[in-house]
Amino acid sequence: MTLRLAPRHWAAAPGRHCGSARSFAASSRRREILSFEALPERVVPHYEPTPTSSLLSLHWPQPPRNILLMPKLHAPQVVVSAVEFAKHIHSNYPDLNIIFEPHISEMVHEKLPFPIYSAPSGEQGTQYRNKVDLVTTMGGDGTILRAASLFSMEAIVPPILSFSMGTLGFLGEWKFDEHKRAWREVYMSGSGVPVEDLGAPHTQVSNGRGDARAEDRELQAGWDSVRGNGKSMGVGRTSKILLRNRLRVGIYDSHGNNINERLIPTSTAEPELQIPPSGEELAEASLASPTAPRAENTPHLHAINEVSIDRGVHPHLAIIDIYVNNHFLTEAVADGILISTPTGSTAYSLSAGGSIIHPLVKSLLITPISPRSLSFRPLVLPLNTKVVLKLSKRNRGRELPVSIDGKRRVGVSIGMEVRVEGEKLQKTEHGWRGGVPCVIRASTRGGEAGGIAEDDDSWVGGLNSLLKFNYPFGEPGDIH
C-alpha cells in the first residue's frame, strides 16, 4: 500500500510544538501524518565499555527525539499494542516524535490523538539514516531483521529496543507488559539524572546537588519534560548494548564492478518493491558498457543473519567454488552455501546443521546446505576472513539466486562473484561504526557471579526455553 498524500493525512507543517498549533482544530491536527523532513536531525548515542561486562553501556548526549516504531506485519493484535505504546510515549515523553513506516502509518494514524511522522514510500532509506534516533520493534526475529535491513547500507545503525511478540522471538529481549520499564531505562540511559529528580529543582537542592555545574544543569534540563515515570533508575544506571556483528557483502559482475546499487531497492518490507534484475540482465548491461569505471565507492550491503546461494528452482545440485583469503578452499556440490554471523548461527544455518556461536564471538560461519559429500562440515572462521563464492562453469549456464538476510534476492550467473567479509567495528570520535546495537535486558542477578559477568542471561535462557537445547525426550512437561 502506498502512502496517500491527501491533504487530510499529510502535512508539511512544522512539528507539533510550534506556536501556531492552537490555530488548528484538534480534530484536524490530531490525525495528521506529518512530513518526515520536519523532524530534527538524528541524535547519535555513545557506547562505552563497562568494567564488569563484555557488553557496552548506552549514553545519550541529549534526549532522543525521533523514535521509529515497527510492529510485526500482518498482525492486527500487535498493531493494537503499538498504538497503546505510542500513546504511552506521547503522554509521558511529550518531546518525542513517533515515526511509522508508510503502510503502518496509514493503519494507525486515525487511532492516535496526536500527529505522527512518516516518509513517502521509496524514500525511507535516505530519510531514516538522518532522522531516526532509536528503533523499537514489536514482533519476532523477522521484525528485528526488517529494522536492521532499513540501515543495511549504513555504517552507524540506531539502537534497537525489541519486544518479543512474534512466533519465536529468540532475539527479542522484553515482554510487552514490561514496555514502560524498558522504555524508561533506554530513554534515560547515561543521562546521569534520576527519573524522580526530573522537573523538580528543589529535589536536586535537597539532595545536595544544587551547586551542580552549569553544563550539568543544562544536561539535566534536556530531560525535564519527562513525567510520570515512577521510581528512579539511579544516576549511574545505563542500558546494556550488544553490538551484533554484520557481514559486509558485495556482488560483482564479470568485469569486477560492484553492482549493489543497481540490485538493492531503497526501501524494504514494502509490497511494491522493485524486483532486482537477474544476473543475465546485469551481465548484458555490463557488456553494453564494458569500459565503465569500477564502482569503488558503491556502498556495501550488510547482513545481520546470513548470505545464502542455492540451487533455486533447478533440480540439480549447485556447484560453487569457495575461496578463503584468496586461497581456493573447495568446490562445493550442494543445495547451497550459507555464510552466517554468530547472530545468524541460530537461524537458517542451525537448520542446515551449523554450529551455534555466541554473539560476542567475532567470527563468521560457512555452512553447506545438504552437501553431496558427508565430509563437508561447517567451518568457523575469524571475522576478518574474506570469503568469495564463484559459480563454477560446471553449472552449465544456470543462474543461481543469492539472498541477503532473506530480504533481498538476485540471480547471479557464471563470471559473477559474491564477496563476503565481517564488518569492522571501529570506535571513532563520533561513536562506534559498524554492527547493530541491540538493547539487552539487564541481568536479574546484577553485577558478577563468582567473577563471571552476567552477560548471558537472555542468550542461555533462549537456548533452553525457545530452542529447547539438548531437551530430553519423553520427560514430564515436554511441550507438545
Side-chain angles (χ1 to χ4, degrees), residues 34-345:
L34 299 180
S35 171
F36 208 89
E37 296 178 354
L39 292 172
E41 290 300 303
R42 173 181 173 185
V43 175
V44 179
H46 304 296
Y47 307 111
E48 301 295 338
T50 54
T52 60
S53 173
S54 299
L55 303 174
L56 302 173
S57 59
L58 171 64
H59 295 263
W60 292 105
Q62 64 185 78
R65 297 167 295 184
N66 306 327
I67 312 304
L68 175 60
L69 185 52
M70 299 182 64
K72 180 180 180 180
L73 298 177
H74 313 298
Q77 189 56 44
V78 177
V79 173
V80 172
S81 297
V83 170
E84 177 186 346
F85 182 75
K87 290 180 178 179
H88 169 73
I89 295 297
H90 179 77
S91 298
N92 295 281
Y93 305 82
D95 289 335
L96 286 177
N97 307 303
I98 300 176
I99 306 164
F100 287 96
E101 298 163 284
H103 50 295
I104 300 296
S105 64
E106 286 288 345
M107 297 170 55
V108 304
H109 79 280
E110 290 286 352
K111 303 174 184 177
L112 295 171
F114 51 85
I116 59 175
Y117 292 81
S118 189
S121 295
E123 297 183 15
Q124 298 97 305
T126 57
Q127 295 278 2
Y128 287 156
R129 66 187 179 195
N130 297 322
K131 301 293 186 179
V132 175
D133 301 336
L134 175 70
V135 180
T136 299
T137 66
M138 304 173 67
D141 295 349
T143 308
I144 298 175
L145 288 180
R146 196 172 100 236
S149 69
L150 292 176
F151 302 91
S152 61
M153 298 184 75
E154 307 302 325
I156 301 178
V157 180
I160 298 178
L161 171 66
S162 56
F163 294 99
S164 181
M165 304 178 70
T167 304
L168 180 61
F170 184 72
L171 303 181
E173 288 290 325
W174 300 84
K175 300 297 182 183
F176 182 68
D177 57 9
E178 302 170 304
H179 68 274
K180 295 180 181 179
R181 170 196 164 196
W183 176 259
R184 181 179 70 246
E185 290 189 3
V186 172
Y187 180 82
M188 296 300 302
S189 183
S191 67
V193 184
V195 176
E196 63 187 5
D197 286 353
L198 295 176
H202 63 279
T203 306
Q204 300 175 13
V205 174
S206 66
N207 285 338
R209 295 194 291 119
D211 59 347
R213 295 177 302 170
E215 55 265 34
D216 292 336
R217 291 194 298 269
E218 182 179 353
L219 175 64
Q220 294 173 6
W223 276 270
D224 64 5
S225 62
V226 182
R227 56 180 181 269
N229 289 292
K231 62 183 181 180
S232 169
M233 284 177 55
V235 175
R237 182 76 172 271
T238 58
S239 291
K240 294 297 185 289
I241 293 292
L242 169 62
L243 272 177
R244 295 187 179 274
N245 293 107
R246 297 187 296 182
L247 299 175
R248 186 171 179 262
V249 186
I251 300 178
Y252 292 79
D253 64 16
S254 58
H255 298 283
N257 295 313
N258 185 312
I259 55 176
N260 282 357
E261 281 189 332
R262 282 184 277 165
L263 296 173
I264 305 162
T266 57
S267 174
T268 60
E270 297 277 356
E272 70 272 22
L273 283 181
Q274 176 185 352
I275 299 175
S278 68
E280 292 180 356
E281 291 171 330
L282 291 170
E284 290 175 1
S286 296
L287 289 173
S289 181
T291 59
R294 292 175 58 88
E296 297 292 349
N297 295 324
T298 301
H300 282 74
L301 260 181
H302 295 93
I304 188 176
N305 255 11
E306 78 274 312
V307 177
S308 68
I309 182 169
D310 59 77
R311 62 186 176 92
V313 299
H314 303 287
H316 304 292
L317 296 177
I319 306 175
I320 304 163
D321 293 334
I322 304 177
Y323 293 80
V324 174
N325 290 333
N326 297 321
H327 297 285
F328 177 72
L329 175 66
T330 187
E331 179 187 73
V333 182
D335 276 356
I337 294 293
L338 296 167
I339 304 178
S340 306
T341 64
T343 297
S345 70

Side-chain angles (χ1 to χ4, degrees), residues 371-399:
R372 182 177 66 180
S373 172
L374 296 179
S375 63
F376 192 174
R377 310 309 303 165
L379 293 176
V380 180
L381 302 173
L383 184 65
N384 61 356
T385 303
K386 294 179 172 61
V387 180
V388 176
L389 305 178
K390 296 182 180 180
L391 268 65
S392 170
K393 294 181 179 180
R394 297 207 293 137
N395 280 286
R396 301 175 184 175
R398 287 186 296 163
E399 180 183 280

